[in-house]
Amino acid sequence: MTISRTPRAVTLALVADVILVIVFAAVGRRSHGEANALAGLATTAWPFLLGLLVGWIAVIALYRDKFDPLLVLPTGVIVWLSTLVVGMLARVVSGQGTALSFVLVAGTVLAVFLIGWRAIAGVVRRRATA
């Protein structure tokens, strides 16, 4: 499997992750009937965007020579775990809720989003090289 660490591939992967985290926050707000105001969305999304940033930095630092933003393992799993854990910790620090049901739903949705698209990309990439 080829390594996708061209600036374009890295940028597109990061943008995809950011968009998916924002979609996660927007869907969560909408499902609870919360206002769609930009400030409200930012309040909900920023802890998870912070976690996403920490995850990206961790993966790049740990796998500098082998970094591939499209890999499920380690990239997708580390980015997902960091987004969830750091996001929840930031929510606690900022006085936002972290009920167990929310943690479970957030963990599941973020896994599907942040790992799922990488799994699909891996299948497409393997088929393209076969």
Side-chain angles (χ1 to χ4, degrees), residues 51-119:
L52 182 72
L53 176 64
V54 170
W56 267 79
I57 291 169
V59 173
I60 290 169
L62 291 169
Y63 298 94
R64 183 171 312 153
D65 297 332
K66 298 177 190 174
F67 173 67
D68 185 338
L70 303 183
L71 291 178
V72 167
L73 192 61
T75 307
V77 171
I78 291 173
V79 166
W80 162 64
L81 283 173
S82 177
T83 302
L84 179 64
V85 172
V86 173
M88 290 300 170
L89 290 173
R91 284 179 63 86
V92 168
V93 169
S94 65
Q96 297 184 49
T98 56
L100 178 60
S101 59
F102 174 63
V103 174
L104 295 174
V105 169
T108 302
V109 172
L110 289 170
V112 169
F113 280 7
L114 300 175
I115 296 173
W117 79 258
R118 287 176 169 89

